[in-house]
Structures are given as structure tokens and as C-alpha cells.
């Protein structure tokens, strides 16, 4: 393919009941032409939204969308009739789970689809939707190249001691290991640090949003991360529990007679900030309520406490710390949360400049600070588009 051509690349991020879409023109500089989000797929009153590259809302409709195929058809029906429509050179997919063998973006073909179907028992929550999305795109746009970008791939550089659980080896051999997630976000952060002239060193990156995780990164490579076999592990999240005693699951199933499906729903959809507060999973709402609601205050305190604890643990794993990065919706926009997380970490050389932190500045540590603390607006969709462009043009990274 002509490397001088301005490629039009569509990115698809399929969740269990959602679909996020972005269209990029891969020129210098790269430009996002539009974004779309379809929520509540399979439920009544699904929501179809489209925004232009300037952030202005183009479409905001409620409708019933039965499944991911219907969601794609809804978007493409709108896209093909819209003035911004253009031939698509390639379509990149965020695939949450890639197992142990998929450590690089990969062209989608029958062999890859078959391999992903074999991995479904390890990730029944995310992979079926991703596979259905790829199959649907193949039918709707048979001539467009497709590329799978795996969220677990970035963490395949973790050493065995960080990947392996202390359980019988037979389970490890079946693929029950710490995979880690948010890999595309961490790749973007590493890419941005390289642009800033800071590609090497000891970095802790905190992707704090509805889903939250951290990664310990040495010289651009992951050496540990908080999420594990599934995205449920690690930090306190909006509705996920984070780390907990496995004996609690035994209690739920044996004493409370709950099925594994119900337990999974509780730990992933009813726990975290929502479970502790009993009212909301939204950090902004919790911060507004914490002075009058002890449960909201406890939820915020737990979120910050666990995050601080993991920073300390990862600093030990790295043998020190050069940079701390905040990203994600909370990490990028909640100075009060960043302040609380960092408050007790002065012994690691972490300090914040109060004014810079309040302004969400790119650098929020003092000029003479031992550890540089940055805020980086992450962009998983752009990372998918970059990977897709490289694969289509014959690259490997």
C-alpha cells in the first residue's frame, strides 16, 4: 500500500453491552474525524450517539438495538449516508483478551478468529462480542482490512514471578495467569513519554477511570500490573471490587447459595465505589456527598488508600521511581483524588505543586521534585488506529 496515502481507519471497541467507534484520518498530524458510542446494547432504550471531530453532537437517539451486529448496522447505515462518509481503508478492533500467544497487533483472518474462539472459556465476558463484531464487519465491509489490537499484549513482558499465581501448576498451564489489561492505554502513555524525551526509567502509570488499574513500567516495558486473570482484580473501581480474599467467593457460593454467575455480577457490577457507598459509582458525585454521607466518604478514602498502597508496592518492584503518570477520566480530571493518593508518598520522593495540580497541568510536581508527576490524556482509540496503520502498511509495531 502507498505509505503516502492518507489512510481512513475506523476503530471499534466492543464491550459486553456497548460499542465505541472512532474514525481517524492518519495524516501528520493524525485527526479524529468523528466518534460514536452505542450503549445498552441488548437492553431497551439503547442510546446511539455521534460527535464530530470538534466534539459537537451530531446524533443522540434512543432506540432498541438487539445485539452488536444491529449496533454496527445502525452506525454504518448512518455513516454511509452522511457527508463525512468515505471509503474505509482498514478497521481496527480493541480486543480485551489475547491470551498468552497474542503479544502483537494481528491481521484478522479465519485463523485468528478460530484461535480467539478457543480462548472464550478464559474470557467469556468480552471475547464473544469482539468475535461477533469482527464477523459482522467481514460481512458488511468484506474488502476492508481488519486488525485486532489486544489489551493484554502490553503486559506479556512481565516476568514469570509477576504473571504466575501460587496455585497448582496445572491451572497455570491452562492459562490461568495474571494477564493485565488497559494495555493500549499504557502503550499510548509510553509513546507520549518517548515524544517528551522520557522513554526510559522507572514509571508507574495509573489509569484511573470507571475501570482502574496501574502498571509498573521499566524502560517502556511492563513488569507488573494490578489487574489479573480478569479486570476485576487490583484497585477499587466504579463497580468492580478489586483485590479481595478468595474465601469471600466460597462464602457467597456455599453459605449464601449464590451461583457463580450471580457472584460474578456482584463483584463486577455491584461492588467497588457503588457497593461501598450504596448510592453511586460516580466519583464526582461521591466527592460532592462525602461531607454529609459517611458511606460516600469511605468509598473515596478506600479508592485513594488502595491506589497509594499499590504505588508503594510497585516502587518496590521497580527499585525506585522516576515518574508517576495519572491518566483516565479520574486520573486526568480529579486533582483532589490525585492529591490524596500522593499525600503519604513523600518518602518515595513524590510531591505535588498545588496550583499545577489544581489546574490539571501536564506536569503537577515541583520543578525540583525527585519524582516527575505527569497528567497524560490517554487515547486508546488512537493507539488502535496507529497499530492498524502499521499492520496495513506492512509494519509490526
Amino acid at each position: 500500500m502507498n505509505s503516502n496515502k492518507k489512510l481512513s481507519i475506523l476503530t471499534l471497541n466492543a464491550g459486553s453491552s456497548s460499542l465505541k467507534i472512532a474514525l481517524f484520518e492518519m495524516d501528520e498530524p493524525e485527526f479524529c474525524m468523528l466518534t460514536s458510542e452505542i450503549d445498552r446494547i441488548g437492553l431497551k432504550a439503547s442510546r446511539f450517539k455521534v460527535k464530530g471531530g470538534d466534539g459537537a453532537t451530531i446524533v443522540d437517539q434512543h432506540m432498541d438495538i438487539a445485539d452488536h451486529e444491529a449496533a454496527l448496522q445502525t452506525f454504518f447505515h448512518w455513516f454511509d449516508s452522511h457527508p463525512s462518509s468515505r471509503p474505509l481503508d482498514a478497521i481496527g478492533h480493541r480486543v480485551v483478551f489475547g491470551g498468552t500467544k497474542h503479544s502483537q497487533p494481528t491481521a484478522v483472518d479465519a485463523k485468528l478468529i478460530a484461535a480467539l474462539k478457543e480462548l472464550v472459556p478464559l474470557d467469556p465476558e468480552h471475547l464473544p462480542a469482539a468475535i461477533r463484531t469482527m464477523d459482522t464487519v467481514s460481512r458488511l465491509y468484506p474488502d476492508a482490512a481488519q486488525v485486532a489490537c489486544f489489551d493484554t499484549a502490553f503486559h506479556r513482558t512481565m516476568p514469570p514471578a509477576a504473571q504466575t499465581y501460587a496455585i497448582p501448576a496445572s491451572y497455570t498451564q491452562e492459562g490461568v495467569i495474571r494477564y493485565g489489561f488497559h494495555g493500549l492505554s499504557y502503550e499510548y502513555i509510553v509513546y507520549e513519554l518517548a515524544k517528551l524525551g522520557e522513554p526510559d526509567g522507572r514509571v508507574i502509570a495509573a489509569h484511573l477511570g470507571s475501570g482502574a488499574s496501574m502498571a509498573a513500567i521499566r524502560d517502556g516495558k511492563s513488569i507488573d500490573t494490578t489487574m489479573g486473570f480478569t479486570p476485576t482484580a487490583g484497585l477499587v473501581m466504579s463497580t468492580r471490587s478489586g483485590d479481595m480474599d478468595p474465601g469471600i467467593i466460597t462464602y457467597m457460593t456455599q453459605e449464601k447459595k449464590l451461583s457463580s454467575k450471580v457472584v460474578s455480577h456482584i463483584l463486577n457490577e455491584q461492588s467497588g465505589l457503588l457497593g461501598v457507598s450504596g448510592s453511586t459509582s460516580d466519583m464526582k458525585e461521591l466527592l460532592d456527598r462525602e461531607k454529609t454521607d459517611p458511606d460516600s466518604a469511605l468509598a473515596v478514602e478506600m479508592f485513594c488508600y488502595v491506589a497509594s498502597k499499590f504505588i508503594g508496592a510497585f516502587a518496590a518492584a521497580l527499585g525506585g521511581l522516576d515518574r508517576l503518570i495519572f491518566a483516565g477520566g479520574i486520573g486526568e480530571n480529579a486533582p483532589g483524588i490525585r492529591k490524596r493518593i500522593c499525600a503519604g508518598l513523600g518518602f518515595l520522593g513524590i510531591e505535588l505543586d498545588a496550583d499545577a495540580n489544581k489546574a490539571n497541568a501536564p506536569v503537577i510536581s515541583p520543578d525540583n521534585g525527585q519524582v516527575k508527576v505527569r497528567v497524560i490524556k490517554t487515547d486508546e482509540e488512537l493507539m488502535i488506529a496507529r497499530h492498524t496503520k502499521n499492520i496495513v502498511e506492512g509494519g509490526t509495531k
Side-chain angles (χ1 to χ4, degrees):
M1 178 171 288
N2 182 0
S3 61
N4 294 321
K5 179 183 177 182
K6 298 178 182 179
L7 296 182
S8 294
I9 293 178
L10 194 76
T11 66
L12 300 177
N13 182 346
S16 56
S17 61
S18 66
L19 181 65
K20 295 180 180 179
I21 303 169
L23 175 65
F24 290 91
E25 185 175 85
M26 300 304 288
D27 196 9
E28 293 293 340
E30 303 139 325
F31 179 65
C32 181
M33 300 184 66
L34 62 84
T35 61
S36 176
E37 187 167 357
I38 304 174
D39 293 320
R40 295 177 57 83
I41 296 173
L43 304 171
K44 289 187 177 180
S46 306
R47 191 174 187 182
F48 172 45
K49 296 184 291 184
V50 181
K51 292 184 178 181
D54 58 359
T57 298
I58 301 173
V59 177
D60 191 349
Q61 299 177 349
H62 287 86
M63 59 184 72
D64 292 341
I65 299 177
D67 52 30
H68 284 77
E69 181 173 359
L72 281 169
Q73 289 174 337
T74 297
F75 172 77
F76 284 127
H77 177 74
W78 172 86
F79 178 69
D80 289 341
S81 62
H82 193 265
S84 64
S85 175
R86 60 186 56 209
L88 299 175
D89 294 298
I91 298 172
H93 300 263
R94 174 178 177 253
V95 181
V96 172
F97 186 80
T100 58
K101 296 181 180 179
H102 299 293
S103 58
Q104 296 287 340
T106 304
V108 175
D109 55 19
K111 183 178 178 181
L112 177 65
I113 294 294
L116 293 179
K117 287 180 177 178
E118 291 182 1
L119 292 175
V120 167
L122 294 176
D123 187 12
E125 182 180 356
H126 301 101
L127 276 180
I131 293 169
R132 287 194 299 270
T133 300
M134 293 176 196
D135 285 340
T136 300
V137 169
S138 294
R139 291 196 299 273
L140 297 176
Y141 283 85
D143 296 330
Q146 294 189 71
V147 175
C149 303
F150 301 98
D151 224 11
T152 50
F154 180 73
H155 301 294
R156 299 283 53 79
T157 56
M158 291 191 300
Q163 291 193 50
T164 308
Y165 289 110
I167 56 178
S170 59
Y171 292 99
T172 304
Q173 293 162 4
E174 291 175 9
V176 182
I177 63 171
R178 180 182 302 279
Y179 287 99
F181 299 87
H182 287 149
L184 290 163
S185 175
Y186 294 127
E187 279 190 281
Y188 182 85
I189 289 168
V190 168
Y191 184 94
E192 289 299 299
L193 287 174
K195 284 173 57 179
L196 292 165
E198 302 174 10
D200 301 321
R202 301 162 297 181
V203 176
I204 295 175
H207 178 111
L208 306 181
S210 179
S213 71
M214 287 187 188
I217 301 168
R218 180 184 292 123
D219 297 334
K221 306 294 184 182
S222 174
I223 69 159
D224 207 343
T225 190
T226 55
M227 287 179 169
F229 178 62
T230 72
T232 311
L235 305 177
V236 175
M237 296 173 240
S238 290
T239 61
R240 293 178 184 143
S241 63
D243 280 358
M244 53 175 279
D245 184 343
I248 296 173
I249 297 175
T250 303
Y251 173 78
M252 289 178 165
T253 54
Q254 293 186 356
E255 297 299 323
K256 295 298 184 179
K257 310 301 182 186
L258 300 178
S259 69
S260 60
K261 184 176 182 180
V262 170
V263 171
S264 178
H265 179 75
I266 291 171
L267 298 182
N268 286 287
E269 305 294 337
Q270 298 179 336
S271 298
L273 297 175
L274 176 62
V276 176
S277 70
S279 58
T280 182
S281 63
D282 186 89
M283 180 60 78
K284 185 176 185 303
E285 292 181 12
L286 291 169
L287 290 170
D288 290 341
R289 298 176 185 181
E290 67 173 331
K291 291 184 179 179
T292 57
D293 179 13
D295 292 333
S296 293
L298 178 60
V300 174
E301 183 180 3
M302 289 175 63
F303 181 91
C304 298
Y305 170 73
V306 174
S308 296
K309 187 167 64 170
F310 268 111
I311 290 173
F314 281 179
L318 288 164
L321 186 62
D322 299 308
R323 285 177 289 284
L324 172 63
I325 312 300
F326 286 100
I330 297 173
E332 295 164 17
N333 301 300
I337 296 298
R338 294 193 299 259
K339 178 181 178 181
R340 295 188 206 193
I341 289 172
C342 295
L345 299 177
F347 71 99
L348 292 175
I350 296 173
E351 299 177 67
L352 296 186
D353 179 289
D355 292 335
N357 182 48
K358 188 178 294 185
N360 295 322
V363 176
I364 58 174
S365 52
D367 291 341
N368 61 350
Q370 180 180 333
V371 174
K372 181 173 284 188
V373 185
R374 287 189 174 275
V375 176
I376 294 180
K377 183 175 177 58
T378 191
D379 194 334
E380 294 166 305
E381 280 70 27
L382 180 53
M383 204 68 230
I384 295 170
R386 287 171 176 166
H387 281 315
T388 301
K389 177 178 184 286
N390 288 335
I391 292 291
V392 168
E393 293 181 342
T396 58
K397 286 290 285 181

